[in-house]
């Protein structure tokens, strides 16, 4: 018998690199997504067929990370077995419309979808929040990616068309409607990256230095003023400044989204991009140029989204100007491509 698990891709409206620093984040679920069909097996074998790859991969359940594309699914399935959801291995069939390496949470969606399918197979009582925590454990423990909890929570709990105001310190959240007057547009820069390439981990280590200096796990609860006035060495000081100011921008953005105040939401997004560029140093010149043109062409807000160093920008643009804006932006940036609207 086969069991189905589904998860959407996500775009982060605002709140970057603060989900492992106790901050608020505001991701939204996309209409692109991923579906897993899981058929339990009695032996210790996993097979996986995925539309992104030509061959079917076969792995043993006791294998470790090998650098193969099937590692992520293997990690998820091993976690499902450790949780008692399945007794042996499984055959997996994956259909995904989420581009990989683009900052749209393709790997979180795969892990969450495998765990949801396995949860159905095992008839296991595990809340979606607990499942998201287990999905993050696969990234941190098995894959060696030191990510936070934002992506897993967003893809496990948010439905397409909703944003999630998530407190990453407590995991409490509220689901909010997306803007009515504006489209949330996701445009790929054409540059891809991997969270395992070291730069994500380097930023996390710099934040950890700031946490040790201030003696707190919640970098975002410090004020930008006390960080600026501190003797913390660079670049940790700049990284901490980004975190504390980004957290405050998310609070403003959540209030603006609730009030349908696109000017304030846009301003928070724009300031977020500047902080990511100058304080967190996670942008690239080609992405800065895409953001600048997105604004020049009429968006109310635009910023790099996701882990950084490549991937997508997110912009909010009045519905009436949306198609012209997109056509002009893509004509100025031939390497860029439209992913979709949230
Ligand atoms: C990746 C990680 C998240 C988060 C973002 C940056 O998507 O998986 O946990 O840290 O980068 O905001």
């Amino acid at each position: 018998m086969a069991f189905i698990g589904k998860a959407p891709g996500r775009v982060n409206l605002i709140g970057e690199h603060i989900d492992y620093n106790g901050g608020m984040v505001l991701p939204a679920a996309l209409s692109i997504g991923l579906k897993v069909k899981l058929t339990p097996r009695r032996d210790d074998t996993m097979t996986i067929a995925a539309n992104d790859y030509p061959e079917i991969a076969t792995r043993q359940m006791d294998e470790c990370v090998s650098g193969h594309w099937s590692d992520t699914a293997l990690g998820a399935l091993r976690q499902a077995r450790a949780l008692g959801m399945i007794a042996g291995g499984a055959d997996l069939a994956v259909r995904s419309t989420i581009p990989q390496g683009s900052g749209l949470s393709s790997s979180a969606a795969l892990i969450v979808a495998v765990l949801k399918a396995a949860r159905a197979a095992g008839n296991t009582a595990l809340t979606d929040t607990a499942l998201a925590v287990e999905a993050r454990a696969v990234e941190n423990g098995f894959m060696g990616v030191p990510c936070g909890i934002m992506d897993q929570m967003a893809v496990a709990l948010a439905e397409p068309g909703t944003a999630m105001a998530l407190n990453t310190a407590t995991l409490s959240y509220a689901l909010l409607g997306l803007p009515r007057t504006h489209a949330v547009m996701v445009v790929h820069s054409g540059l891809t990256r991997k969270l395992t390439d070291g730069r994500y981990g380097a930023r996390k280590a710099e934040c950890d230095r700031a946490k040790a200096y201030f003696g707190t796990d919640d970098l975002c609860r410090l004020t930008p003023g006390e960080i600026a006035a501190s003797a913390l060495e660079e670049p940790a000081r700049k990284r901490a400044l980004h975190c504390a100011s980004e957290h405050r921008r998310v609070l403003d953005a959540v209030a603006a989204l609730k009030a349908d105040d696109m000017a304030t939401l846009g301003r928070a997004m724009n300031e977020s991009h500047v902080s990511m560029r100058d304080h967190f140093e996670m942008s690239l010149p080609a992405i800065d140029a895409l953001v600048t043109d997105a604004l020049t062409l009429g968006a109310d807000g635009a910023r790099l989204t996701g882990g950084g160093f490549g991937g997508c920008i997110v912009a909010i643009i009045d519905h009436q100007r949306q198609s012209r804006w997109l056509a002009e932006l893509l004509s100025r940036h031939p390497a860029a491509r439209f992913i979709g609207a949230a």
Side-chain angles (χ1 to χ4, degrees):
M1 192 172 160
F3 300 87
I4 303 293
K6 287 189 204 167
R10 71 97 187 90
V11 63
N12 192 17
L13 292 175
I14 189 164
E16 225 64 82
H17 280 267
I18 55 174
D19 64 337
Y20 51 85
N21 291 313
M24 282 288 297
V25 294
L26 187 58
L30 295 169
S31 53
I32 52 175
L34 183 149
K35 184 168 157 185
V36 170
K37 188 170 118 190
L38 180 154
T39 311
R41 294 172 62 115
R42 287 181 196 280
D43 62 11
D44 285 343
T45 300
M46 174 188 94
T47 71
I48 175 166
N51 63 308
D52 283 341
Y53 300 95
E55 85 280 8
I56 294 177
T58 302
R59 305 286 297 264
Q60 295 310 305
M61 290 294 285
D62 59 359
E63 281 179 42
C64 296
V65 168
S66 69
H68 193 261
W69 61 265
S70 57
D71 283 346
T72 313
L74 179 64
L77 209 56
R78 284 174 54 116
Q79 195 77 0
R81 189 156 99 164
L83 291 165
M85 294 170 168
I86 52 168
D91 295 322
L92 302 175
V94 181
R95 289 212 69 77
S96 175
T97 51
I98 312 170
Q100 299 184 20
S102 307
L104 301 175
S105 290
S106 57
S107 83
L110 176 59
I111 296 169
V112 163
V114 169
L115 287 176
K116 284 195 169 180
R119 179 175 64 183
N123 204 7
T124 319
L126 188 72
T127 64
D128 285 345
T129 298
L131 188 140
V133 170
E134 297 296 341
R136 180 190 182 189
V138 174
E139 293 276 16
N140 294 168
F142 187 76
M143 298 299 291
V145 175
C147 65
I149 188 69
M150 168 172 73
D151 304 349
Q152 295 75 16
M153 283 294 287
V155 307
L157 287 136
E159 291 288 329
T162 59
M164 171 185 260
L166 170 67
N167 178 331
T168 62
T170 62
L171 299 192
S172 66
Y173 64 89
L175 295 178
L176 307 176
L178 290 175
R180 279 174 300 160
T181 50
H182 284 55
V184 174
M185 305 286 274
V186 184
V187 177
H188 200 298
S189 63
L191 305 164
T192 54
R193 53 94 192 131
K194 278 190 166 177
L195 291 188
T196 43
D197 74 3
R199 288 178 287 189
Y200 185 96
R203 290 297 177 276
K204 177 155 190 304
E206 289 154 0
C207 290
D208 287 346
R209 269 205 292 288
K211 287 183 192 175
Y213 176 89
F214 290 108
T216 177
D217 252 0
D218 286 350
L219 222 39
C220 295
R221 302 299 188 275
L222 300 171
T223 67
E226 69 187 296
I227 297 168
S230 76
L232 175 61
E233 84 283 6
E234 297 293 9
R237 188 172 149 281
K238 282 196 278 191
R239 309 299 187 240
L241 266 177
H242 164 77
C243 294
S245 61
E246 183 79 348
H247 173 68
R248 282 157 179 80
R249 285 186 287 273
V250 178
L251 297 179
D252 289 348
V254 169
L257 186 58
K258 285 182 182 162
D260 242 327
D261 174 357
M262 293 301 107
T264 303
L265 177 60
R267 193 160 50 242
M269 292 171 74
N270 299 341
E271 288 171 6
S272 168
H273 185 78
V274 171
S275 177
M276 291 191 293
R277 185 191 67 199
D278 298 346
H279 282 155
F280 219 72
E281 295 177 293
M282 56 185 278
S283 190
L284 297 171
I287 291 181
D288 296 337
L290 197 55
V291 165
T292 302
D293 282 340
L295 294 174
T296 313
L297 292 169
D300 288 275
R303 58 184 290 280
L304 165 64
T305 183
F309 310 105
C312 294
I313 69 159
V314 59
I316 52 168
I317 173 90
D318 195 303
H319 280 306
Q320 279 162 11
R321 292 194 286 172
Q322 157 184 2
S323 30
R324 180 125 177 234
W325 172 86
L326 182 62
E328 289 188 18
L329 186 66
L330 295 182
S331 80
R332 286 191 193 187
H333 296 268
R337 66 181 196 277
F338 181 50
I339 297 290

